[in-house]
Amino acid sequence: MAAVESVGEDGVRRRDFIYVATGAFAAVGGGAAAWSLVNQMNPSADVLALASIEVDLASVQTGQAIKVSWRGKPVFIRNLTPAEIQAANATPISELRDPQTLGERTKEGKQNWLVTLGVCTHLGCVPLGAAEGEVRGDYNGYFCPCHGSHYDTAARIRKGPAPTNLEVPEYAFKSDTLVQIG
């Protein structure tokens, strides 16, 4: 005996409604699953909170460097001495693997303040040279002991496997002693 389907006055079967309801339920469920997968790739709240930071440089003496954290990465801020500035400016650009002048890596009028990410461009290690007493390498800048990359006083790669200079993040001076990174 065959089942008899009931057809309403407008020609819509009960099965048609079940198909539409099932499809709508699946679409909403799929959308919710897709949203959660996409949303998990957004930066976390602690990263968003550090989208930009302000650093007061008033206590950083000439020749001294500090490390701060920005977006989960170390940032080196160095107050270059006149001798370090002179050494960086005296280096012929033709000798550099990633040619950049000190002026291109610093802000106009603030050439003594060098702000770079403290992440070696070879494999992402943290170079030495920012803290007191750390090895600064053959060029008196930064040294990555993991694979032997040497950076000069302007954080430019001079020797070792690193392909490029230490990255200069986006930054701006808000006053003579206050810098905003990011």
Side-chain angles (χ1 to χ4, degrees):
M1 186 183 260
V4 178
E5 286 208 38
S6 63
V7 178
E9 294 176 16
D10 56 355
V12 177
R13 299 177 302 170
R14 183 176 215 190
R15 182 171 296 185
D16 293 337
F17 172 77
I18 292 173
Y19 287 150
V20 170
T22 303
F25 185 76
V28 169
W35 174 256
S36 66
L37 290 173
V38 170
N39 193 37
Q40 76 166 347
M41 292 184 267
N42 286 330
S44 61
D46 61 336
V47 171
L48 288 175
L50 293 174
S52 68
I53 60 169
E54 290 183 354
V55 181
D56 185 11
L57 304 175
S59 64
V60 182
Q61 302 299 315
T62 303
Q64 188 180 23
I66 61 170
K67 292 182 206 177
V68 296
S69 183
W70 172 65
R71 294 185 179 170
K73 297 177 186 172
V75 175
F76 298 155
I77 303 174
R78 176 173 273 163
N79 189 352
L80 298 170
T81 65
E84 289 172 329
I85 293 170
Q86 183 180 8
N89 288 333
T91 302
I93 297 298
S94 61
E95 290 182 9
L96 300 174
R97 184 179 308 163
D98 184 8
Q100 283 184 316
T101 65
L102 179 61
E104 292 172 328
R105 299 179 58 72
T106 58
K107 298 293 182 190
E108 188 174 335
K110 302 281 188 184
Q111 193 174 23
N112 62 308
W113 291 107
L114 179 65
V115 179
T116 60
L117 290 182
V119 179
C120 181
T121 57
H122 178 233
L123 291 176
C125 307
V126 177
L128 301 175
E132 186 82 23
E134 287 184 343
V135 176
R136 295 177 82 184
D138 293 349
Y139 299 91
N140 204 28
Y142 299 101
F143 173 65
C144 185
C146 300
H147 300 100
S149 293
H150 296 256
Y151 299 89
D152 67 8
T153 57
R156 300 174 297 196
I157 184 65
R158 298 295 299 275
K159 178 176 157 185
T164 58
N165 303 329
L166 292 183
E167 184 182 342
V168 175
E170 185 178 315
Y171 72 97
F173 279 90
K174 301 195 88 164
S175 72
D176 283 342
T177 60
L178 188 66
V179 65
Q180 180 177 355
I181 303 171

